[in-house]
Amino acid sequence: MTRITTKKLAIGMFQNGRARQTWAMSGREDESNYTDLEYWTELARKCEAAGADFLFLADSYGYPTLNDTVIPTAIERNVQFSTVDSQMLMSALAAATKTLGLVTTVSTMVEKPPMVARQYRSLDHFSKGRIGWNIVTGSAQAGSALLFGEPLMPHDDRYALADDHVQLSLKLWEGCWDDDALIRDSATGIWADPAKVHEIIHDGPFFSSKGVLVTPPSPQVTPTLFQAGASSAGRELAATYAEAVFLAAESKALAEQIADIRGRAEAKGRGRDAIKCLIAGTFRIAESEEEARAAHEAQIAGISLEYAAATYAYFTGVDLLSFDLDRPMPASTAKTDNGRTNVERFLGPDAPTVREILEEFRANGVMGKPFLGTVEQAVDQALALIEETDADGFLVQPDPDGSHDMFFEKVMPELRRRGVIKDELPGATLREHLFGEGCVRLPDSHPGAAFRRTGVLV
Ligand SMILES: Cc1cc2nc3c(=O)[nH]c(=O)nc-3n(C[C@H](O)[C@H](O)[C@H](O)COP(=O)(O)O)c2cc1C
């Protein structure tokens, strides 16, 4: 058996506001019940009962496009296509749960900082401090830009914009209200102390602002900050601001990515352990290894190359089917202005052929290789990857039927038996779940802390 990690792993549960990709494989018509609020509240309750740290709902306005138009296979097969608005679900999930962390994505390309600041602060109040923001520059940017009637912004400029966005959001969260600014004294009629509520001033390369976030401080003040997108620019953004990052398990370079993020965070004075690195973990378990492998292969057999190509186009904007399948992708794809994580990982000296990339996407999608076998084997593999990569936990992908039931029934108890997950979630807030009791606010080493109580900021 693998050497058992001494860490207490963070366990986040992944779902997608999109209709589940497995809908046709489950053989159940009711698999598309993702438009029912009840589906989501029940999912959140199950995550809470199982003791997960948080539920994460991924989101994007983008969908697969090529040559400025939606890919028909994406519509026909529902490849990264139909969705509901994840953020809209959050207050319902806050009402349905008491301890579970709740994380969702808003792309910095879509909503402006005062909107993001107000929404997440409101949600942090409603959930009593259990909210996290997954900061992305957005998957499928080509589709999203077309939808919003905007030109596609170059990749690294989007990350420069994200940096400016987060700076302003942090100023609004951390810089507007002193801790004792809110008075609410009905005898004197004083709501708040004007000397302790500050206007922030921001004059950045992409956003300008002079004003106040009028929603008073919530338990975490700043929501717990997550980040996804492992291109070089993405890792820099993570190292600067993120408290947790989502990384695909597929990448041969996972250990390097994690070491790079930790190194960059350390260079910024945040410390190597300032960021929880969470691996997108897929568990495919059965009574025997053969059975698990056969079920996984049956699932792969239901996925066409066109489906895999549409998925790839969603994440990269690259049309794999336009290339020679028996050669590597042209190096020019590195300049794609869509997401780069899934281009960068298939270029370089050991570059696979296009056919191999398509096969990888058929078999493992974007999240990477599953942990496969009996529950003991799968957990051994998962813990070995934690050891190899120095990661801090998992963002668990759904079971083949779209639920997390198998994970909760089999894998969670095994993780618990091995003593690698928390018996009880520390603290009441999401940040405490991840960093320990008392860690409610951003640590002093985070750049957001510099915006506290300093009056007018420039
Ligand atoms: C586990 C995981 C979850 C992700 N969730 C989202 C998401 O909700 N929305 C999104 O636009 N991108 C999400 N991404 C990131 C995209 O895949 C994509 O890499 C990114 O948005 C573009 O950045 P890049 O150029 O750095 O790749 C996720 C990635 C991973 C590994």
Side-chain angles (χ1 to χ4, degrees), residues 14 56 58-60 105 134 136-139 155 159 228-231 246-248 280 315 339-341 367 395:
F14 178 94
F56 164 60
D59 200 12
S60 174
T105 303
N134 180 35
V136 298
T137 55
S139 45
H155 179 270
Y159 272 106
S231 62
F246 297 138
L247 297 159
F315 285 100
R340 288 200 181 152
T341 306
M367 295 303 177
L395 178 67

mmCIF file of all heavy atoms in Angstrom, residues 14 56 58-60 105 134 136-139 155 159 228-231 246-248 280 315 339-341 367 395, ligand 1:
data_model
loop_
_atom_site.group_PDB
_atom_site.id
_atom_site.type_symbol
_atom_site.label_atom_id
_atom_site.label_comp_id
_atom_site.label_asym_id
_atom_site.label_seq_id
_atom_site.Cartn_x
_atom_site.Cartn_y
_atom_site.Cartn_z
ATOM 1 N N PHE A 14 -17.166 18.549 -7.369
ATOM 2 C CA PHE A 14 -17.354 19.302 -8.618
ATOM 3 C C PHE A 14 -18.723 19.004 -9.216
ATOM 4 O O PHE A 14 -19.150 17.856 -9.282
ATOM 5 C CB PHE A 14 -16.282 18.859 -9.620
ATOM 6 C CG PHE A 14 -16.376 19.513 -10.970
ATOM 7 C CD1 PHE A 14 -15.636 20.653 -11.244
ATOM 8 C CD2 PHE A 14 -17.185 18.990 -11.979
ATOM 9 C CE1 PHE A 14 -15.714 21.261 -12.499
ATOM 10 C CE2 PHE A 14 -17.267 19.592 -13.223
ATOM 11 C CZ PHE A 14 -16.527 20.731 -13.485
ATOM 12 N N PHE A 56 -18.399 22.820 -5.509
ATOM 13 C CA PHE A 56 -18.004 23.814 -6.514
ATOM 14 C C PHE A 56 -18.862 23.635 -7.762
ATOM 15 O O PHE A 56 -18.951 22.529 -8.299
ATOM 16 C CB PHE A 56 -16.524 23.634 -6.871
ATOM 17 C CG PHE A 56 -16.122 24.348 -8.143
ATOM 18 C CD1 PHE A 56 -16.264 25.727 -8.257
ATOM 19 C CD2 PHE A 56 -15.608 23.642 -9.222
ATOM 20 C CE1 PHE A 56 -15.896 26.388 -9.429
ATOM 21 C CE2 PHE A 56 -15.237 24.294 -10.391
ATOM 22 C CZ PHE A 56 -15.382 25.665 -10.499
ATOM 23 N N ALA A 58 -18.908 24.783 -11.507
ATOM 24 C CA ALA A 58 -18.168 25.439 -12.588
ATOM 25 C C ALA A 58 -19.152 26.231 -13.449
ATOM 26 O O ALA A 58 -20.343 25.936 -13.470
ATOM 27 C CB ALA A 58 -17.451 24.393 -13.430
ATOM 28 N N ASP A 59 -18.633 27.242 -14.139
ATOM 29 C CA ASP A 59 -19.536 28.032 -14.976
ATOM 30 C C ASP A 59 -18.754 28.766 -16.061
ATOM 31 O O ASP A 59 -17.576 29.087 -15.882
ATOM 32 C CB ASP A 59 -20.289 29.059 -14.120
ATOM 33 C CG ASP A 59 -21.559 29.555 -14.819
ATOM 34 O OD1 ASP A 59 -21.968 28.948 -15.825
ATOM 35 O OD2 ASP A 59 -22.135 30.547 -14.345
ATOM 36 N N SER A 60 -19.433 28.993 -17.165
ATOM 37 C CA SER A 60 -18.849 29.780 -18.253
ATOM 38 C C SER A 60 -19.981 30.206 -19.180
ATOM 39 O O SER A 60 -20.964 29.484 -19.329
ATOM 40 C CB SER A 60 -17.835 28.930 -19.025
ATOM 41 O OG SER A 60 -17.373 29.635 -20.150
ATOM 42 N N THR A 105 -17.908 30.023 -10.054
ATOM 43 C CA THR A 105 -17.046 30.792 -10.949
ATOM 44 C C THR A 105 -17.758 32.030 -11.453
ATOM 45 O O THR A 105 -18.927 31.964 -11.816
ATOM 46 C CB THR A 105 -16.717 29.926 -12.190
ATOM 47 O OG1 THR A 105 -16.120 28.712 -11.767
ATOM 48 C CG2 THR A 105 -15.800 30.651 -13.154
ATOM 49 N N ASN A 134 -14.330 31.401 -7.652
ATOM 50 C CA ASN A 134 -13.344 30.821 -8.558
ATOM 51 C C ASN A 134 -13.053 31.834 -9.660
ATOM 52 O O ASN A 134 -13.895 32.099 -10.516
ATOM 53 C CB ASN A 134 -13.860 29.506 -9.156
ATOM 54 C CG ASN A 134 -12.853 28.875 -10.095
ATOM 55 O OD1 ASN A 134 -11.642 28.962 -9.860
ATOM 56 N ND2 ASN A 134 -13.321 28.245 -11.154
ATOM 57 N N VAL A 136 -11.566 33.055 -12.942
ATOM 58 C CA VAL A 136 -11.043 32.567 -14.231
ATOM 59 C C VAL A 136 -11.104 33.693 -15.251
ATOM 60 O O VAL A 136 -11.879 34.639 -15.111
ATOM 61 C CB VAL A 136 -11.845 31.357 -14.790
ATOM 62 C CG1 VAL A 136 -11.789 30.161 -13.864
ATOM 63 C CG2 VAL A 136 -13.284 31.739 -15.112
ATOM 64 N N THR A 137 -10.273 33.530 -16.294
ATOM 65 C CA THR A 137 -10.410 34.423 -17.442
ATOM 66 C C THR A 137 -11.370 33.790 -18.444
ATOM 67 O O THR A 137 -11.674 34.392 -19.458
ATOM 68 C CB THR A 137 -9.040 34.667 -18.098
ATOM 69 O OG1 THR A 137 -8.468 33.390 -18.420
ATOM 70 C CG2 THR A 137 -8.111 35.417 -17.162
ATOM 71 N N GLY A 138 -11.795 32.572 -18.164
ATOM 72 C CA GLY A 138 -12.893 31.961 -18.902
ATOM 73 C C GLY A 138 -12.466 30.953 -19.950
ATOM 74 O O GLY A 138 -11.599 31.213 -20.772
ATOM 75 N N SER A 139 -13.122 29.791 -19.883
ATOM 76 C CA SER A 139 -12.951 28.817 -20.963
ATOM 77 C C SER A 139 -13.827 29.274 -22.135
ATOM 78 O O SER A 139 -14.737 30.076 -21.958
ATOM 79 C CB SER A 139 -13.363 27.425 -20.487
ATOM 80 O OG SER A 139 -14.575 27.507 -19.791
ATOM 81 N N HIS A 155 -4.830 36.446 -25.105
ATOM 82 C CA HIS A 155 -4.798 35.615 -23.902
ATOM 83 C C HIS A 155 -4.149 36.316 -22.706
ATOM 84 O O HIS A 155 -4.736 36.442 -21.631
ATOM 85 C CB HIS A 155 -4.046 34.318 -24.227
ATOM 86 C CG HIS A 155 -3.926 33.377 -23.080
ATOM 87 N ND1 HIS A 155 -2.866 33.407 -22.188
ATOM 88 C CD2 HIS A 155 -4.742 32.391 -22.649
ATOM 89 C CE1 HIS A 155 -3.035 32.465 -21.278
ATOM 90 N NE2 HIS A 155 -4.162 31.822 -21.541
ATOM 91 N N TYR A 159 -5.396 38.005 -18.785
ATOM 92 C CA TYR A 159 -4.869 37.801 -17.441
ATOM 93 C C TYR A 159 -4.442 39.122 -16.800
ATOM 94 O O TYR A 159 -4.566 39.291 -15.587
ATOM 95 C CB TYR A 159 -3.733 36.772 -17.452
ATOM 96 C CG TYR A 159 -4.286 35.357 -17.296
ATOM 97 C CD1 TYR A 159 -4.342 34.481 -18.366
ATOM 98 C CD2 TYR A 159 -4.789 34.935 -16.071
ATOM 99 C CE1 TYR A 159 -4.869 33.200 -18.225
ATOM 100 C CE2 TYR A 159 -5.321 33.663 -15.915
ATOM 101 C CZ TYR A 159 -5.362 32.797 -16.987
ATOM 102 O OH TYR A 159 -5.896 31.544 -16.818
ATOM 103 N N ALA A 228 -8.682 28.855 -11.428
ATOM 104 C CA ALA A 228 -8.466 27.726 -12.348
ATOM 105 C C ALA A 228 -7.946 28.282 -13.662
ATOM 106 O O ALA A 228 -8.370 29.354 -14.099
ATOM 107 C CB ALA A 228 -9.758 26.954 -12.571
ATOM 108 N N GLY A 229 -7.079 27.520 -14.303
ATOM 109 C CA GLY A 229 -6.424 27.973 -15.547
ATOM 110 C C GLY A 229 -4.936 27.913 -15.293
ATOM 111 O O GLY A 229 -4.384 28.747 -14.575
ATOM 112 N N ALA A 230 -4.276 26.847 -15.842
ATOM 113 C CA ALA A 230 -2.889 26.569 -15.447
ATOM 114 C C ALA A 230 -1.876 26.981 -16.504
ATOM 115 O O ALA A 230 -0.744 26.515 -16.497
ATOM 116 C CB ALA A 230 -2.744 25.086 -15.112
ATOM 117 N N SER A 231 -2.269 27.841 -17.442
ATOM 118 C CA SER A 231 -1.264 28.401 -18.357
ATOM 119 C C SER A 231 -0.273 29.198 -17.503
ATOM 120 O O SER A 231 -0.540 29.471 -16.326
ATOM 121 C CB SER A 231 -1.943 29.315 -19.380
ATOM 122 O OG SER A 231 -2.569 30.392 -18.717
ATOM 123 N N PHE A 246 -7.552 24.928 -8.758
ATOM 124 C CA PHE A 246 -8.021 23.667 -9.330
ATOM 125 C C PHE A 246 -7.092 23.285 -10.480
ATOM 126 O O PHE A 246 -6.858 24.095 -11.385
ATOM 127 C CB PHE A 246 -9.438 23.821 -9.894
ATOM 128 C CG PHE A 246 -10.482 24.161 -8.864
ATOM 129 C CD1 PHE A 246 -11.460 25.108 -9.135
ATOM 130 C CD2 PHE A 246 -10.509 23.521 -7.631
ATOM 131 C CE1 PHE A 246 -12.439 25.420 -8.197
ATOM 132 C CE2 PHE A 246 -11.481 23.824 -6.688
ATOM 133 C CZ PHE A 246 -12.454 24.778 -6.970
ATOM 134 N N LEU A 247 -6.592 22.053 -10.437
ATOM 135 C CA LEU A 247 -5.673 21.585 -11.475
ATOM 136 C C LEU A 247 -6.141 20.228 -11.987
ATOM 137 O O LEU A 247 -6.569 19.379 -11.194
ATOM 138 C CB LEU A 247 -4.257 21.444 -10.898
ATOM 139 C CG LEU A 247 -3.631 22.755 -10.395
ATOM 140 C CD1 LEU A 247 -2.517 22.467 -9.410
ATOM 141 C CD2 LEU A 247 -3.115 23.588 -11.566
ATOM 142 N N ALA A 248 -6.017 20.012 -13.295
ATOM 143 C CA ALA A 248 -6.433 18.730 -13.861
ATOM 144 C C ALA A 248 -5.442 17.639 -13.465
ATOM 145 O O ALA A 248 -4.243 17.882 -13.357
ATOM 146 C CB ALA A 248 -6.535 18.846 -15.369
ATOM 147 N N ALA A 280 -8.230 17.683 -9.780
ATOM 148 C CA ALA A 280 -9.534 17.208 -10.280
ATOM 149 C C ALA A 280 -9.504 15.681 -10.297
ATOM 150 O O ALA A 280 -8.947 15.075 -11.205
ATOM 151 C CB ALA A 280 -9.787 17.762 -11.673
ATOM 152 N N PHE A 315 -12.157 24.138 -24.933
ATOM 153 C CA PHE A 315 -11.118 24.588 -24.001
ATOM 154 C C PHE A 315 -9.986 25.366 -24.665
ATOM 155 O O PHE A 315 -9.239 26.058 -23.990
ATOM 156 C CB PHE A 315 -10.548 23.391 -23.222
ATOM 157 C CG PHE A 315 -11.491 22.905 -22.161
ATOM 158 C CD1 PHE A 315 -12.299 21.799 -22.366
ATOM 159 C CD2 PHE A 315 -11.613 23.590 -20.957
ATOM 160 C CE1 PHE A 315 -13.195 21.378 -21.397
ATOM 161 C CE2 PHE A 315 -12.508 23.177 -19.979
ATOM 162 C CZ PHE A 315 -13.299 22.072 -20.203
ATOM 163 N N GLY A 339 -8.309 29.278 -24.170
ATOM 164 C CA GLY A 339 -7.525 28.746 -23.049
ATOM 165 C C GLY A 339 -6.238 28.081 -23.542
ATOM 166 O O GLY A 339 -6.228 27.452 -24.607
ATOM 167 N N ARG A 340 -5.182 28.204 -22.766
ATOM 168 C CA ARG A 340 -3.896 27.640 -23.212
ATOM 169 C C ARG A 340 -3.455 26.407 -22.430
ATOM 170 O O ARG A 340 -2.554 25.707 -22.857
ATOM 171 C CB ARG A 340 -2.803 28.712 -23.121
ATOM 172 C CG ARG A 340 -2.980 29.755 -24.199
ATOM 173 C CD ARG A 340 -1.710 30.528 -24.453
ATOM 174 N NE ARG A 340 -1.966 31.523 -25.483
ATOM 175 C CZ ARG A 340 -1.317 32.674 -25.581
ATOM 176 N NH1 ARG A 340 -0.367 32.970 -24.726
ATOM 177 N NH2 ARG A 340 -1.605 33.517 -26.549
ATOM 178 N N THR A 341 -4.060 26.156 -21.263
ATOM 179 C CA THR A 341 -3.608 25.013 -20.461
ATOM 180 C C THR A 341 -3.562 23.754 -21.314
ATOM 181 O O THR A 341 -2.592 22.996 -21.274
ATOM 182 C CB THR A 341 -4.587 24.780 -19.286
ATOM 183 O OG1 THR A 341 -4.722 25.986 -18.554
ATOM 184 C CG2 THR A 341 -4.109 23.671 -18.382
ATOM 185 N N MET A 367 -10.314 16.606 -17.436
ATOM 186 C CA MET A 367 -9.939 16.510 -16.019
ATOM 187 C C MET A 367 -8.844 15.501 -15.740
ATOM 188 O O MET A 367 -8.261 15.484 -14.666
ATOM 189 C CB MET A 367 -11.162 16.180 -15.160
ATOM 190 C CG MET A 367 -12.205 17.260 -15.159
ATOM 191 S SD MET A 367 -11.521 18.849 -14.614
ATOM 192 C CE MET A 367 -12.951 19.910 -14.796
ATOM 193 N N LEU A 395 -10.627 17.874 -6.048
ATOM 194 C CA LEU A 395 -11.910 18.387 -6.506
ATOM 195 C C LEU A 395 -12.550 17.204 -7.227
ATOM 196 O O LEU A 395 -12.185 16.884 -8.364
ATOM 197 C CB LEU A 395 -11.712 19.567 -7.461
ATOM 198 C CG LEU A 395 -13.019 20.128 -8.018
ATOM 199 C CD1 LEU A 395 -13.829 20.780 -6.911
ATOM 200 C CD2 LEU A 395 -12.745 21.123 -9.128
HETATM 201 C C1 LIG B 1 -11.017 21.585 -12.183
HETATM 202 C C2 LIG B 1 -11.114 22.765 -13.069
HETATM 203 C C3 LIG B 1 -12.217 23.579 -13.005
HETATM 204 C C4 LIG B 1 -12.357 24.672 -13.857
HETATM 205 N N1 LIG B 1 -13.475 25.465 -13.782
HETATM 206 C C5 LIG B 1 -13.660 26.458 -14.679
HETATM 207 C C6 LIG B 1 -14.859 27.219 -14.692
HETATM 208 O O1 LIG B 1 -15.767 27.021 -13.884
HETATM 209 N N2 LIG B 1 -14.989 28.163 -15.638
HETATM 210 C C7 LIG B 1 -14.014 28.452 -16.552
HETATM 211 O O2 LIG B 1 -14.222 29.311 -17.401
HETATM 212 N N3 LIG B 1 -12.843 27.778 -16.535
HETATM 213 C C8 LIG B 1 -12.653 26.786 -15.636
HETATM 214 N N4 LIG B 1 -11.476 26.081 -15.615
HETATM 215 C C9 LIG B 1 -10.313 26.596 -16.360
HETATM 216 C C10 LIG B 1 -10.428 26.388 -17.822
HETATM 217 O O3 LIG B 1 -10.251 25.013 -18.060
HETATM 218 C C11 LIG B 1 -9.396 27.195 -18.614
HETATM 219 O O4 LIG B 1 -8.160 26.600 -18.444
HETATM 220 C C12 LIG B 1 -9.281 28.639 -18.236
HETATM 221 O O5 LIG B 1 -10.498 29.242 -18.008
HETATM 222 C C13 LIG B 1 -8.483 29.419 -19.280
HETATM 223 O O6 LIG B 1 -7.257 29.692 -18.760
HETATM 224 P P1 LIG B 1 -5.864 29.182 -19.335
HETATM 225 O O7 LIG B 1 -5.588 29.960 -20.584
HETATM 226 O O8 LIG B 1 -4.926 29.520 -18.234
HETATM 227 O O9 LIG B 1 -5.986 27.737 -19.632
HETATM 228 C C14 LIG B 1 -11.339 24.960 -14.789
HETATM 229 C C15 LIG B 1 -10.198 24.142 -14.840
HETATM 230 C C16 LIG B 1 -10.078 23.051 -13.989
HETATM 231 C C17 LIG B 1 -8.868 22.189 -14.085
#
